[in-house]
Amino acid sequence: MLDFSKELLFFFSLLGVFNGLIVAAYFFFFINENKFSNKFLGALLLVLCIRIGKSVLLFFDKNILITIVLIGVMACSLIGPLLFLYIKTNTGKIKKLQWKHTLHLIPAIVLSLYFLSSREDYQNNRILISKLINIINFQWFCYLVISGFLLKNTFDNFRNRVHKNSKNEVWSVSIYVGIFLIWFSYVSFKFTSYIAGAVVFSFIFYILMLILYNLKKERRQKKHPTSDTKQVNEIIQKLKYFLEEEKVFKNNNLKMPELAKLLNITPHQFSEILNLSLNKNFSNYINEYRINEAKHFLLHDTNYTVEHIGELSGFKSTSAFYTAFKKHTGVTPSAFKSQS
């Protein structure tokens, strides 16, 4: 019979496993974006949950079936390879999955089948199981080292702040650090407790879910910038810089996608900002800058013809210049020049 503190520990440990299985299924079956990396992440969460679940059951019941123990141990042998494959696909180092990439999984699968088929040999041989676990923990560590090298540039950038890390880089590092902490909790359990790995997994799982939520939230805000006032203001200031300082409106072939690219947003996002935040459409907004430029020429450069001023201001043709100028000022360019 468990006392209340152990019941609470048992519940909290298995709660992380249960939620982990749900999230594993979500990544494996329901997310099409980054298809291969998410399937590897789903598989990684699955084997982690099996490994952690075995630890919880063994901690509270030393007499569980040897088959359950071996299934947990063999699941552990897949953690390192799946972490490596996940990071390699998520960071874009594998553009197209090939059969050679799955070779990392074959040794663990073959060993799993062998040990399960000869499970009677391990029934009363805890020393043999302990040696097996040590070998697998060492294999796990080797894959942590290899995976760490894959993330070397990302870690360097976190330290030196050369540029802002991408969402994939942040997520890959978060997963890597979480897996490392779980590994460390297991290899150091002699100094803490065997259940420490399960507890650490539960804490890390919920922290990772919080990180994932924030990354998804940032991505939604990037897709819909008008929902973030600060971001909209930054984009508008950047837009004014390109128009007032760089004077990109003088390019008579300037199109919305071209200017949106300079602002690092999509044309749809740009149109949304113009319509909702500035209450203008693209053509009228750009023509305002062109007409103000034309006014400057008309007032100060008397040697230029009206037609040439329209061309210098970014209009494609004289007729387009006259039409836009009269629409915004109520008079033709020639009349404006004579009035001044």
Side-chain angles (χ1 to χ4, degrees), residues 69-126:
V69 175
L70 288 175
I71 288 174
V73 172
M74 292 307 106
C76 187
S77 69
L78 289 167
I79 294 173
L82 286 171
L83 172 67
F84 170 76
L85 290 170
Y86 167 69
I87 289 177
K88 202 158 189 179
T89 51
N90 198 48
T91 54
K93 291 181 171 61
I94 294 179
K95 300 295 183 182
K96 185 178 180 182
L97 192 65
Q98 299 176 350
W99 280 108
K100 65 179 182 180
H101 298 127
T102 61
L103 292 176
H104 293 274
L105 304 174
I106 292 177
I109 294 172
V110 171
L111 283 174
S112 298
L113 294 174
Y114 168 75
F115 286 121
L116 287 174
S117 65
S118 56
R119 57 187 177 277
E120 291 81 8
D121 298 336
Y122 296 87
Q123 183 67 50
N124 298 309
N125 197 336
R126 297 291 176 178

Side-chain angles (χ1 to χ4, degrees), residues 8 11 39 42 47 53 55 62 86 99 133 169 177 189 218 252 274-275 304 306:
L8 190 62
F11 171 78
K39 289 196 181 303
V47 295
S55 299
K62 304 296 183 184
Y86 167 69
W99 280 108
I133 291 173
E169 288 174 329
V177 172
F189 79 90
E218 286 182 22
N252 59 20
L274 287 174
N275 292 330
Y304 290 150
V306 172

